[in-house]
Amino acid sequence: MLSGKKVGLRARHEEDIPTLQAELYDDVVNSSRADSRPWRPTTPGLKNSPLVVDRKEEGHVPFSVVELAGGTLIGTATLWGIDTHNRTAHVGLGLLPAARGKGYGTDVVAVMCHYGFVVRSLHRLQIETLSDNAAMLGAAERNGFVREGVLRSSAWVMGEFLDEVLLGLLVEEWKSDPKA
C-alpha cells in the first residue's frame, strides 16, 4: 500500500466494488462529470463493471483509496493513459460523498504523484477536470500542478457542454511534500 498523511492507496478488492458501484458509479450526475464516456447502467455483481480491475490493461492502474485511520474505503484513484515512451500519464480520483471536503483529495493527488514520479519514473502527470470542480482544481494546485489551458466546451455532461481545465506537473517541479 502507498501511504500519504491521511490516505492509503491499495489494490482494488472485490469487496470494494459494491460500495464504489453504489456510491460513485450509480450516481449518474457524478459519474457523468467524472468520465468522458457516457454513463450506462450495469448489473451489480457482473464482472464487466467498470470498477473491476483488468490486470491486462497496462496503461491503467486503479487503486482503492482508504482512510489511514481505520482503513475505511473512501474512494478510487487511477493513473491512466500511461505512455511509457513519453513517460506521461493522467491522474484521476473519485471520493465517496461522505469523504468529500475533508482534505483527502489533496493527499490522494500527493500519493499519486509519488507513485507516478518515483515508482513509475514518469516525467509528466496531467489532470483534466471540469472548470467548476473547485475541489479537484485546489487539490491539484496544492500539489504543484499548473493550469496549462482551458478546453472550451469539451465535455458533454448531462445535456450541456462544459469547459475542462488542463493541469500539468513535471517531475522537476514536483515537491514530495506539498507544504514545502
Side-chain angles (χ1 to χ4, degrees):
M1 180 164 69
L2 299 169
S3 295
K5 294 176 180 168
K6 297 180 173 189
V7 301
L9 273 55
R10 63 161 169 73
R12 175 91 29 89
H13 296 172
E14 192 170 328
E15 59 268 17
D16 296 345
I17 293 172
T19 300
L20 297 174
Q21 178 86 28
E23 295 196 41
L24 290 179
Y25 187 80
D26 288 345
D27 176 345
V28 178
V29 173
N30 178 68
S31 190
S32 296
R33 291 176 55 81
D35 197 336
S36 62
R37 297 169 295 189
W39 182 88
R40 60 184 201 172
T42 59
T43 303
L46 287 183
K47 298 295 181 198
N48 68 349
S49 166
L51 296 161
V52 173
V53 176
D54 180 359
R55 298 283 306 166
K56 296 177 196 122
E57 176 61 52
E58 291 292 323
H60 181 89
V61 181
F63 294 95
S64 284
V65 180
V66 296
E67 207 173 21
L68 283 180
T72 304
L73 177 68
I74 60 170
T76 66
T78 307
L79 195 68
W80 61 276
I82 300 169
D83 179 337
T84 57
H85 176 71
N86 292 304
R87 295 177 44 210
T88 63
H90 303 258
V91 174
L93 68 99
L95 295 176
L96 302 180
R100 296 175 191 158
K102 298 179 180 179
Y104 294 133
T106 298
D107 202 32
V108 171
V109 173
V111 177
M112 292 298 287
C113 288
H114 174 82
Y115 177 73
F117 291 138
V118 176
V119 177
R120 297 298 296 250
S121 189
L122 297 174
H123 176 70
R124 173 188 165 82
L125 294 176
Q126 183 170 309
I127 293 173
E128 301 88 10
T129 190
L130 297 175
S131 61
D132 64 354
N133 188 346
M136 185 60 165
L137 290 168
E141 290 173 336
R142 282 188 289 279
N143 279 286
F145 281 80
V146 175
R147 291 184 192 215
E148 297 178 336
V150 174
L151 306 171
R152 298 176 306 138
S153 292
S154 64
W156 178 252
V157 179
M158 301 299 293
E160 65 180 320
F161 283 104
L162 300 176
D163 294 347
E164 288 182 287
V165 177
L166 173 65
L167 303 106
L169 179 63
L170 304 178
V171 67
E172 59 266 18
E173 299 166 341
W174 175 61
K175 294 179 178 155
S176 60
D177 182 358
K179 297 199 189 311

